[in-house]
Each structure stands twice: as structure tokens, then as C-alpha cells.
Amino acid sequence: MTVVAVVEDNADNRLLLRAILDGLYEVDEYEGAETALAAFRRAAPAVVLLDISLPGMSGVELVRVLRDDDALKHVPVVALTAHAMAGDRETYLTAGFDAYVTKPIVDESALLRAIDRLTAGRRSP
Amino acid sequence: MALEAGGAPGAPAAGAAGPHGAATHAVLGAVEQDERREALERLRRFGGDRLVRDMARIFVTDMPARLERAFVALAARDASGAAYAAHTMKSSGAQFGLGALARLCGQVEQAARAADLAGVATLLTDVERELAAGRAWLERELQLDAGEQ
């Protein structure tokens, strides 16, 4: 099954994302960027849903590390953010994200479409 | 290629003063009631009653701790710590349609990032009030009892 990594420090948001992805993808959850990065270096996920605001290493810092890593730079990363001001889109794309999803999540179909496009539709049957 | 997925639009702050006084307050209260109901319906669509109750349990137990972390950060004059705590509360409040709480937490976050600790202090007392109201609503709405929290 296609692996989606969720890097999100809020337990309730992790629950929500798992519920949305349940049965469609295998979900690996991480509370922080450092533990996620260590895991990705052992086995890269198909796509990462990455909270921007994390304790310690931020989401932006993590995506920059991924883009500098030859083994991980190909992994698509979706920013999860409560920031949705004008110019944020360009900020996240410039930082290395492939897409972003604003929180609170109100439309799961848009999130799933984003994951489908970034993983070339590699859902479980 | 950049893809965007929608988030919830903002709504006027509940309890805001206006030229129509109590009538405005009642209308804004009704707006937030709708937001809360829609939020619960949305969460049920995502993961059924189980998801709603599991998220609500986390909310009623974690949020006071996050608020406490904000106060501790404030006392230590740790603006970034206060901003982070407020950010986490904003996210969770918004997911349950608690618009007033989410907006106040956003204001705390902004004040903290501007190093306006006096502003943070004032706003956190408002956050405390809205959080108490939000928790009480969730507990009533979902009939959470002490054994479940």
C-alpha cells in the first residue's frame, strides 16, 4: 500500500488525517520533524503531509533538508498550514513544497486529489 | 505544479461590539453556532462519531495544558513559546468551528510574534474564557463524561 507520512504535532490533527486516509493509504505518523527525517532516511514515503509549525525543526526547515538530500529530494511534500495569506502560496513553493492544504481541513476531496496527483494515483485497490 | 485545498472561511468574532449591540451579538452567536454544527457534521463525515469523540477527548484534555504552556511562556517572557502554544490552540479550535477561540488564539500568536507581551497577557485571559466555553459546549454536545476525558 502507498505510504503517506503525516508530520503533525497536534494529536487531534493526526487523528483527523488518519481518518481521512484510512483504507486508502498506509499512514505513518510523526510528531516532529527530527523523528520523521530519521525514518525517511531508512525508508522514504510516497508523499509527506507536513505541518509548517512544528516544535524544534520547522516544516520549512525539514523540506529544505529533504530537497538537499539526493535520496529524498524526489519525495513530494504537501504543506499543512493555518496560514493562508496572499503570497503564502509562493512562499511555500519557493521553500520546496509541492502543494499546500490549509487548516482546518474542510474538504477532504481536495486533499485526496492532491495526494493522488503527487503519487500518480498509487492508492490501494 | 502547486495544488491547493480549501480551508474554512473566517466569520465575524463572536461577542464583538457593534452599533446594534445585543442584536449584533445574537447574530454573531448564531453564526458561530452554525460553524460549530457544520464542523461536527464535517468531522462525522470524515470519520464518524468515533472520530468526533476521540478528537473531542483530546480537545478537552489537551487544550488546558496548551493554554498553561502559553501562560508559562508569557511568564518567562518567551514570545516564541507563547506564539507556538497559541498556534496549536488556534488549529484545534478552528477544527471544531470555535471561531472566536481560533481568532483570539490567532491574535495571541500575532502579538507574541510582535513581542507584544502585554498584548499577549490581555488576550490570554480572553482565550481562557473562550476555551472554557468551548470545552463546556463540547462536553454538553457530545455528552462526554468524566470517565471519557
Side-chain angles (χ1 to χ4, degrees):
Chain A
M1 195 182 278
T2 300
V3 176
V4 175
V6 172
V7 188
E8 164 64 68
D9 55 326
N10 269 4
D12 45 1
N13 285 338
R14 291 198 304 274
L15 260 183
L16 172 61
L17 289 164
R18 179 172 284 280
I20 290 172
L21 301 174
D22 187 43
L24 301 172
Y25 299 97
E26 179 178 334
V27 179
D28 290 341
E29 298 178 15
Y30 305 93
E31 290 187 45
E34 294 88 347
T35 52
L37 181 59
F40 297 168
R41 284 178 169 149
R42 292 191 296 271
V47 65
V48 179
L49 305 184
L50 176 56
D51 185 16
I52 292 290
S53 299
L54 294 169
M57 183 188 289
S58 72
V60 172
E61 289 169 334
L62 174 58
V63 79
R64 286 178 179 153
V65 170
L66 295 178
R67 294 301 175 240
D68 283 341
D69 188 321
D70 285 342
L72 295 172
K73 62 186 178 184
H74 67 282
V75 177
V77 185
V78 179
L80 301 173
T81 176
H83 302 290
M85 308 293 287
D88 283 347
R89 178 179 177 276
E90 288 68 30
T91 299
Y92 297 132
L93 297 183
T94 301
F97 291 94
D98 298 278
Y100 75 86
V101 170
T102 53
K103 294 190 288 187
I105 296 172
V106 298
D107 180 3
E108 75 277 28
S109 64
L111 170 62
L112 293 174
R113 279 197 304 274
I115 295 173
D116 265 358
R117 291 288 299 273
L118 292 171
T119 59
R122 292 198 303 270
R123 279 195 205 181
S124 66
Chain B
M1 153 251 303
L3 304 166
E4 302 174 14
H20 303 291
T24 299
H25 184 90
V27 169
L28 294 176
V31 168
E32 174 143 337
Q33 286 174 24
D34 286 345
E35 288 180 338
R36 294 178 185 187
R37 187 180 62 251
E38 287 167 7
L40 291 185
E41 288 171 1
R42 181 169 61 240
L43 293 177
R44 285 196 178 95
R45 189 177 77 246
F46 291 163
D49 281 338
R50 179 173 177 174
L51 175 67
V52 176
R53 297 183 77 81
D54 286 350
M55 288 182 66
R57 286 189 205 102
I58 291 173
F59 184 95
V60 298
T61 54
D62 276 10
M63 288 289 271
R66 297 180 204 176
L67 178 62
E68 180 62 21
R69 283 197 286 274
F71 276 117
V72 168
L74 174 64
R77 305 191 65 78
D78 174 10
S80 64
Y84 171 72
H87 182 82
T88 69
M89 289 191 287
K90 178 180 73 178
S91 176
S92 296
Q95 206 65 64
F96 277 106
L98 296 169
L101 173 63
R103 278 185 294 277
L104 280 169
C105 291
Q107 290 168 20
V108 171
E109 186 180 1
Q110 286 183 336
R113 295 195 192 286
D116 175 13
L117 295 182
V120 169
T122 300
L123 288 164
L124 280 181
T125 59
D126 295 332
V127 169
E128 189 168 26
R129 181 193 68 239
E130 285 295 333
L131 175 56
R135 288 181 69 216
W137 166 73
L138 265 180
E139 287 165 351
R140 277 195 316 272
E141 188 71 22
L142 302 178
Q143 297 179 356
L144 298 177
D145 56 36
E148 292 190 80
Q149 296 177 27

